[in-house]
Amino acid sequence: MMTRKEIQAQIIQAVEAVKRTNPMAGSITNMVTINFVANAQLAVGGSAAMVYLPEEGEILAKAGGATYINVGTLLPIHEEALPHTAKVLHEAKKPWVLDPVAVGIGSLRTRVLKQFKAYKPSVIRANASEILALAGLWELEGGTETSRVRGVDSTDSVNAARSAAIALARWTGGAVAVSGETDLVTDGHVVAYSYGGSHLMGKITGAGCSLGGVIAVYATVASPFIAALTGTAVYNLAGARAEKKTSSPGSFQVQFLDELYQATAEDIANNPFELEIA
């Protein structure tokens, strides 16, 4: 198990490497939040590229340092594009981040998400209900047979998804980030609880989606666990700082992007977190 200081040192390295190299992390993502995802990726120092066609997904997967796949707003073409892109990433051993938005809603979403099990995403980023439902869909420990997702919202606590998150991380060999009032990040062996954020993050669309995109940026330069924890930490830091400067959702979204941009590597590494053995 890494010590706190070792984890903080790796977070600093990841943040500095992204700011120095401007890595590309492409996305096939939710059309409702695509703009915010791209802006957040740019704010932390990455480069964004958004596509949805199967051929373009393959090109992006091969060209980018990592890829973000979000199943939020599905079109028929995604049934081909998403699994094909995930397969290319898996075969090329490229890191990729999965956001299983609204898992359990609709047959198309279910078919696509079932196929992802074999392609083992490097990081899974979701709310607690989505983590429970995905583990259930993949027939892993801690999962639920019936999805309790309400639209894109969670009806379960982060701690309720702890066992499912650990099981998913152990299956993929990567990491899982569970978003909530206190965020949980695990690689299946260590569990980190990350603190901060703001209640206003629930008043804007795309806070979770854009976090997945930002984690993909960090996954270009760091291990899945460090990428997931770094992304989570900068979000908690930026959210807490933005809330001190505004109390309304519209201005919060703008301020939040500014805080993502201004956060230093040391600030991010020092955002409060606790560690446990899984």
Side-chain angles (χ1 to χ4, degrees):
M1 177 176 169
M2 288 187 292
T3 66
R4 172 182 292 273
K5 285 188 177 180
E6 288 171 336
I7 290 172
Q8 289 176 316
Q10 289 193 35
I11 289 174
I12 289 171
Q13 289 173 5
V15 174
E16 290 180 341
V18 163
K19 291 180 182 294
R20 183 176 64 252
T21 62
N22 183 226
M24 184 177 75
S27 301
I28 303 178
T29 189
N30 190 337
M31 296 175 190
V32 176
T33 63
I34 190 168
N35 179 265
F36 194 46
V37 173
N39 281 335
Q41 290 179 311
L42 295 173
V44 299
S47 176
M50 283 29 197
V51 301
Y52 67 93
L53 296 174
E55 179 187 15
E56 293 177 349
E58 178 174 348
I59 292 170
L60 198 63
K62 292 177 178 178
T67 300
Y68 174 49
I69 295 179
N70 178 307
V71 301
T73 46
L74 292 177
L75 297 172
I77 197 168
H78 285 128
E79 187 165 15
E80 179 185 355
L82 298 183
H84 179 68
T85 303
K87 183 175 185 288
V88 171
L89 289 161
H90 181 67
E91 291 176 347
K93 294 181 169 55
K94 289 283 191 79
W96 68 285
V97 178
L98 169 64
D99 195 329
V101 176
V103 53
I105 297 178
S107 59
L108 172 57
R109 195 180 309 272
T110 298
R111 288 196 302 273
V112 168
L113 286 170
K114 275 187 176 179
Q115 291 180 70
F116 286 154
K117 182 182 180 182
Y119 303 137
K120 296 189 174 181
S122 309
V123 181
I124 300 167
R125 201 295 320 166
N127 65 41
S129 293
E130 290 164 343
I131 291 298
L132 286 162
L134 185 66
L137 183 65
W138 288 3
E139 300 178 330
L140 300 176
E141 183 181 346
T144 55
E145 291 184 9
T146 303
S147 174
R148 294 194 288 264
V149 176
R150 186 186 65 188
V152 297
D153 297 325
S154 179
T155 61
D156 296 281
S157 70
V158 167
N159 273 332
R162 187 180 189 274
S163 294
I166 291 168
L168 284 165
R170 288 177 178 173
W171 167 258
T172 62
V176 173
V178 190
S179 298
E181 187 173 346
T182 297
D183 299 313
L184 181 157
V185 179
T186 183
D187 63 357
H189 306 286
V190 176
V191 175
Y193 290 95
S194 179
Y195 299 94
S198 165
H199 75 284
L200 289 171
M201 295 172 85
K203 302 296 184 184
I204 61 174
T205 187
C209 296
S210 60
L211 172 56
V214 165
I215 289 173
V217 169
Y218 290 124
T220 66
V221 297
S223 70
F225 177 72
I226 293 298
L229 185 55
T230 303
T232 301
V234 72
Y235 263 56
N236 279 328
L237 175 68
R241 286 181 168 179
E243 188 184 83
K244 291 179 180 178
K245 298 179 180 179
T246 181
S247 59
S248 301
S251 54
F252 175 83
Q253 188 175 41
V254 174
Q255 189 63 49
F256 177 73
L257 286 173
D258 288 347
E259 298 297 341
L260 285 181
Y261 179 76
Q262 293 169 6
T264 68
E266 289 75 14
D267 288 341
I268 298 166
N270 288 321
N271 190 72
F273 69 93
E274 294 179 353
L275 297 173
E276 293 180 358
I277 299 295

